[in-house]
Amino acid sequence: MQSSTPLPAQAGDAVLMEMAPLTHAAQMYIATALILEGEAPGAAEVAGHLAPRVGRVPGLWHRYAERAGRPVWQPQRVRAADHVALLPLGTDAADAGLDGLMREVRRRPPVSPAGAPMWDVLIATGFAPRRWAVVFRCHHTLMDGGAITHTLDQLFGDGPSARRRSFLGGALLPALPRLPSAAASVLRAALPTAPWPAPAAARAEGSATYAVTEPLELEAVKRPGATLSQVFAACFALAADSWWPLPGDREVHALVPMDLRVPGEQRALGNHFAPMRLALPTGDPAHVLAGTGAQMAAWPTPGFRAALDLTIRRITPFPATLALGRRISSGVCCRAVVSSVRSRNPLSFNGSPVLDLVPAIPAFPGHALSSVLWSYQGRARVAFGSHTSMPGVGAMPQAWEQALKSIQSLPPEAGAGAVAG
């Protein structure tokens, strides 16, 4: 598990690393709890399961470092046992169920030794009768949502190793005509925007808050003519409007991390997404769905992803990318992050199938709210979180459910045509 040549890191990875730790040490960790039935194993058993699998994922045996003013990924020797710990929940957290579990996950300091790759696995118990969870966490510089789904499959699934392809891979020619629009899209994400009318508590630093929905059938989130991400973004806009009424005379924006990989692809370490900006519409559900879809319709078109990739990682000079990333990530430009991730393969531990996946997004400083829809085995959960003390986060699951029902009640033609993508 060593490489002779350190790999270059992405500018966004350097930005994220500089942002953490802030309120608490695991603030910039992205996590997923795998819920299983039965009696939890011990730390030694889980470490023994992980040990022969760690080498499959480069992100698990590299750490971020700087060399001559440039970010690099430095290979490290890794002992799985050093990254595994128990997380028994106390009475207060147990009474809160999965919400309590994920709050404790976000509060728990990192387990990995100083200087080691920043990931760990927690064995959580006490949050539900006859249930336990294996919680994978890693610093957001190491992986984004797409990379974590691949990592879970390598650690707890039987899926094939990710395909590797060259950076260009035949994408250069279709990308060239889209370079101007791709560059404009990235610059648009860095434009300042007005904050939501948040209560005073939401503007002060404090303990992160968290809430998660009940699982829902994935078919319920689909809509004719619209992608899953479009429906999720529309539901988020409707939910936000019912929780914090969006001002009618100005736009409120969200960031949608757009994965630059093709399915199953693993190119290099770190994050591989472009921050795309979305103006949240207001009004009736049909108008909101059409408005989000129209803005997102160009994103999956041929060449656009490749042009974004080319713009961010090959054309923009490193200092400019670093400055741009700092601005976008600061929260000055967008007060919310909305993303969706899909785990395609069944997962298990020692023959016991994973029943559910529960995500916890990293707490971005300055962003009022982050949310993610994570789908697994035909079902999905939506998680909401904030890096500040925001009691209203607990109201988001109910607001989301109401927004989803509003979109479900639309006639099929209301989601078609203008929302295609």
Side-chain angles (χ1 to χ4, degrees), residues 175 178-187 276 303-309 311:
R178 304 305 304 270
L179 281 176
S181 59
S185 297
V186 174
L187 290 173
M276 305 297 287
F304 188 65
R305 279 177 196 262
L308 283 168
D309 210 352
T311 300

Side-chain angles (χ1 to χ4, degrees), residues 1-3 47-62 75-80 83 117 119 136 143 150-151 153-156 161-162 164 266 269:
M1 291 186 294
Q2 285 217 16
S3 170
H49 172 92
L50 297 174
R53 295 168 170 81
V54 169
R56 302 177 185 176
V57 185
L60 299 181
W61 47 279
H62 281 77
Q76 300 283 296
R77 291 195 180 277
V78 172
R79 291 182 66 252
H83 295 256
W119 64 272
F136 175 77
M143 300 180 195
H150 166 68
T151 299
D153 193 49
Q154 298 302 304
L155 297 181
F156 303 102
S161 296
R164 295 182 180 272
Q266 183 79 13
L269 292 158

Side-chain angles (χ1 to χ4, degrees), residues 193-196 252-255 331-337 366-370:
T193 186
W196 283 350
V252 176
H253 296 80
L255 285 180
V332 171
C333 305
C334 289
R335 294 307 198 270
V337 180
H367 291 149
L369 187 66
S370 295

Side-chain angles (χ1 to χ4, degrees), residues 3-405:
S3 170
S4 58
T5 305
L7 302 171
Q10 302 303 308
D13 303 327
V15 174
L16 291 173
M17 185 62 73
E18 290 178 4
M19 289 161 57
L22 288 164
T23 304
H24 52 92
Q27 177 170 324
M28 289 301 293
Y29 274 55
I30 182 170
T32 306
L34 286 66
I35 309 299
L36 297 103
E37 189 174 33
E39 185 176 350
E45 184 178 352
V46 172
H49 172 92
L50 297 174
R53 295 168 170 81
V54 169
R56 302 177 185 176
V57 185
L60 299 181
W61 47 279
H62 281 77
R63 70 177 179 88
Y64 174 91
E66 286 193 14
R67 179 172 297 174
R70 299 282 296 184
V72 298
W73 292 108
Q74 185 69 43
Q76 300 283 296
R77 291 195 180 277
V78 172
R79 291 182 66 252
D82 293 338
H83 295 256
V84 179
L86 301 178
L87 182 64
L89 267 65
T91 303
D92 292 343
D95 290 343
L98 288 176
D99 279 350
L101 165 64
M102 302 314 287
R103 278 198 297 269
E104 291 302 309
V105 166
R106 288 179 53 152
R107 292 171 182 166
R108 175 66 185 261
V111 173
S112 53
M118 300 174 69
W119 64 272
D120 57 36
V121 171
L122 306 176
I123 306 165
T125 55
F127 59 90
R130 295 291 300 165
R131 293 286 191 273
W132 65 280
V134 54
V135 184
F136 175 77
R137 304 190 303 174
C138 69
H139 196 285
H140 205 10
T141 52
L142 286 179
M143 300 180 195
D144 51 27
I148 282 187
T149 57
H150 166 68
T151 299
L152 294 178
D153 193 49
Q154 298 302 304
L155 297 181
F156 303 102
D158 297 319
S161 296
R163 300 187 305 274
R164 295 182 180 272
R165 71 180 176 102
S166 65
F167 171 72
L168 297 179
L172 181 59
L173 289 180
L176 290 178
R178 304 305 304 270
L179 281 176
S181 59
S185 297
V186 174
L187 290 173
R188 193 176 301 119
L191 295 175
T193 186
W196 283 350
R203 293 194 290 267
E205 287 290 336
S207 299
T209 51
Y210 181 85
V212 62
T213 68
E214 289 298 313
L216 60 148
E217 298 300 324
L218 201 56
E219 290 295 327
V221 194
K222 293 184 178 178
R223 188 75 192 155
T227 65
L228 181 64
S229 294
Q230 288 168 357
V231 175
F232 178 46
C235 284
F236 179 87
L238 291 168
D241 198 15
S242 68
W243 175 40
W244 276 348
L246 304 181
D249 58 345
R250 55 184 179 174
E251 292 180 333
V252 176
H253 296 80
L255 285 180
V256 182
M258 181 173 171
D259 196 353
L260 299 180
R261 299 177 184 85
V262 299
E265 176 195 350
Q266 183 79 13
R267 275 205 301 268
L269 292 158
N271 288 275
H272 293 268
F273 65 82
M276 305 297 287
R277 186 163 174 157
L278 182 70
L280 301 181
T282 58
D284 63 86
H287 175 76
V288 171
L289 184 58
T292 54
Q295 294 177 71
M296 300 169 75
W299 296 0
T301 54
F304 188 65
R305 279 177 196 262
L308 283 168
D309 210 352
L310 201 60
T311 300
I312 293 172
R313 294 197 280 165
R314 286 294 185 271
I315 296 178
T316 308
F318 179 79
T321 306
L322 194 64
L324 190 64
R326 276 204 191 99
R327 183 174 177 85
I328 293 170
S329 301
S330 69
V332 171
C333 305
C334 289
R335 294 307 198 270
V337 180
V338 183
S339 56
S340 59
V341 184
R342 182 200 295 183
S343 292
R344 292 177 172 82
N345 299 311
L347 307 175
S348 64
F349 180 85
N350 283 354
S352 180
V354 170
L355 306 176
D356 193 9
L357 289 183
V358 184
I361 55 273
F364 283 88
H367 291 149
L369 187 66
S370 295
S371 68
V372 62
L373 182 145
W374 201 312
S375 59
Y376 172 68
Q377 297 292 89
R379 308 190 84 190
R381 281 186 184 269
V382 183
F384 304 94
S386 170
H387 81 292
T388 55
S389 297
M390 293 176 59
V393 170
M396 285 301 289
Q398 183 178 2
W400 154 267
E401 185 176 336
Q402 293 172 345
L404 179 59
K405 289 179 178 177

